[in-house]
Amino acid sequence: MGDVLVTAPDAEHGYELLAQAGPLAAQVGGKVVYAALGDQAAQAKEFATRGAHRVLTCSDPALTPYQTEPYTEAYLQLIEKVKPSIVLIGATIRSKDAAARVATKLEVGCGCEIMNLRLDGGRLTGERVYFSGRSLATERLLKDPQIATVPARLVDAPAPQGAGGSVEAVALKLTPPKAKIVKREKKESGSVHLEDADIIVSAGRGIKKKEDLKLAEDLAAALGGQVGCTRPIAADLKWLGDAHWIGLSGHEVKPKAYIGLGVSGQIQHVAGMRSSKIIVAINKDEEAPLVKISDYAVVDDLYKVVPALVQAVKKARGQ
Ligand SMILES: Cc1cc2nc3c(=O)[nH]c(=O)nc-3n(C[C@H](O)[C@H](O)[C@H](O)COP(=O)(O)OP(=O)(O)OC[C@H]3O[C@@H](n4cnc5c(N)ncnc54)[C@H](O)[C@@H]3O)c2cc1C
């Protein structure tokens, strides 16, 4: 028996972890405790109404912006205070580093980017993708606290419900970070933010000329989605910027629908879009790997299919 301590560097990710923590806490006979650190203290009530029995807040200045050392200290002190049996931390580049340090200090394991969380034999268990998606490993945490970092967008965030749990401010003893952040600049990505897109139309080398990217743009506009692409389109041909690049060395996306236009579906691309809810392939080769993994495939020339599809979508949506 023990509580489930949950925290994530961004609130939306935190809500999703609360959805996954609830059933685990019920099974271990504990409570869900959410740690709203830094700026998140302002949203404490939101966490309380979305599944946290107890929300602990700390807005110590050392916690904003994120830096590894103060967060490591904060996680360790929260674990000391809550004594959880399970700790779920949102897996992002801003937290996986601290999670690993915490696990090392406590001499316990740390599951990294674990999906499909469950208890098996009473231990926290889940899957992790290895080798760009070629292999799936099942990992089980053997020592308490069982620490796992969990990717975003695996489940829907729970809707707010009722009055929710309690909120209490905690004082943590944090050392000011050794590194000083002198400047922060937003990375130029124009209006493209594929990680947030519900629908992505992805352009591959089946598109023959830069001007023909309009096919992908028109379909994305008709569907209210964004344009993504394979590495050759962004890195070799430079027809689109890096913000559009999906895959192992590009962006990892999890849209509700991914539509690949002339995308072969090599493993390095699939590594970045395999968690899409619905995968559609438009490819003239029925043996293309993306066709094989797709939910729906149109095996035909994209130059013929896409304009007709755009017209059909516009008509259906009254555009
Ligand atoms: C270390 C490493 C990292 C990599 N990282 C990434 C990454 O992050 N992202 C990434 O995307 N790639 C990555 N790659 C490259 C990857 O291996 C593939 O080469 C790339 O994804 C292929 O892009 P593509 O599907 O656009 O092109 P292709 O593989 O050339 O496929 C084009 C497809 O279009 C179809 N087609 C052609 N004409 C038409 C038509 N008229 N109508 C319909 N279909 C048509 C073809 O049948 C074919 O399936 C990486 C490679 C390495 C070695």
Side-chain angles (χ1 to χ4, degrees):
M1 162 152 172
D3 291 338
V4 179
L5 177 64
V6 180
T7 191
D10 86 87
E12 197 61 33
H13 198 162
Y15 303 147
E16 292 167 20
L17 293 197
L18 288 173
Q20 296 169 77
L24 296 172
Q27 284 177 70
V28 294
K31 290 197 161 43
V32 176
V33 183
Y34 189 86
L37 304 178
D39 295 343
Q40 279 185 20
Q43 284 141 287
K45 213 57 212 151
E46 273 289 307
F47 295 107
T49 55
R50 289 183 192 246
H53 298 111
R54 200 175 155 206
V55 179
L56 304 178
T57 65
C58 179
S59 28
D60 189 300
L63 294 170
T64 310
Y66 179 91
Q67 288 218 54
T68 311
E69 290 94 350
Y71 270 78
T72 305
E73 286 182 334
Y75 293 163
L76 281 166
Q77 288 171 37
L78 286 162
I79 289 170
E80 176 63 28
K81 183 177 170 62
V82 177
K83 305 211 176 348
S85 59
I86 293 174
V87 181
L88 304 183
I89 299 177
T92 70
I93 43 168
R94 297 181 297 139
S95 66
K96 284 193 288 186
D97 51 358
R101 286 177 181 217
V102 168
T104 307
K105 276 252 189 260
L106 298 176
E107 298 187 2
V108 298
C110 180
C112 189
E113 306 208 320
I114 304 293
M115 307 174 299
N116 191 20
L117 289 172
R118 59 194 180 274
L119 290 182
D120 191 347
R123 309 306 300 170
L124 186 65
T125 306
E127 271 74 45
R128 179 186 178 185
V129 172
Y130 277 91
F131 306 123
S132 321
R134 262 183 259 251
S135 173
L136 208 58
T138 300
E139 298 193 353
R140 182 167 304 134
L141 281 308
L142 299 178
K143 277 173 89 179
D144 280 8
Q146 304 159 76
I147 303 175
T149 67
V150 185
R153 300 192 123 196
L154 294 178
V155 299
D156 292 332
Q161 264 185 350
S166 63
V167 176
E168 74 192 81
V170 290
L172 302 174
K173 283 201 187 86
L174 305 175
T175 328
K178 290 187 194 117
K180 189 174 156 206
I181 294 176
V182 284
K183 192 174 174 195
R184 282 163 69 85
E185 262 179 88
K186 205 167 164 31
K187 196 174 168 191
E188 245 350 290
S189 64
S191 55
V192 186
H193 202 262
L194 290 184
E195 283 84 350
D196 295 338
D198 280 340
I199 298 176
I200 294 178
V201 177
S202 180
R205 269 211 315 225
I207 290 181
K208 303 293 175 232
K209 304 196 294 288
K210 187 176 180 190
E211 305 84 80
D212 297 345
L213 282 175
K214 190 163 183 322
L215 291 166
E217 286 159 4
D218 286 352
L219 185 56
L223 290 166
Q226 296 198 24
V227 174
C229 68
T230 60
R231 183 169 89 161
I233 300 290
D236 307 337
L237 297 163
K238 301 206 184 301
W239 291 349
L240 288 170
D242 290 357
H244 299 263
W245 173 349
I246 296 169
L248 178 66
S249 37
H251 295 264
E252 190 180 344
V253 298
K254 292 169 188 162
K256 289 185 182 148
Y258 165 101
I259 305 165
L261 309 184
V263 173
S264 60
Q266 299 306 318
I267 190 74
Q268 296 88 354
H269 184 75
V270 171
M273 47 64 68
R274 57 182 297 140
S275 305
S276 306
K277 286 215 170 99
I278 296 173
I279 298 174
V280 182
I282 300 178
N283 196 307
K284 60 183 184 185
D285 176 9
E286 66 177 339
E287 295 300 321
L290 192 72
V291 172
K292 302 267 187 203
I293 63 157
S294 65
D295 299 289
Y296 302 95
V298 183
V299 179
D300 208 336
D301 186 343
L302 72 90
Y303 283 84
K304 201 169 87 194
V305 175
V306 177
L309 192 55
V310 171
Q311 288 314 314
V313 171
K314 282 186 173 170
K315 196 169 163 207
R317 298 188 139 205
Q319 292 172 1

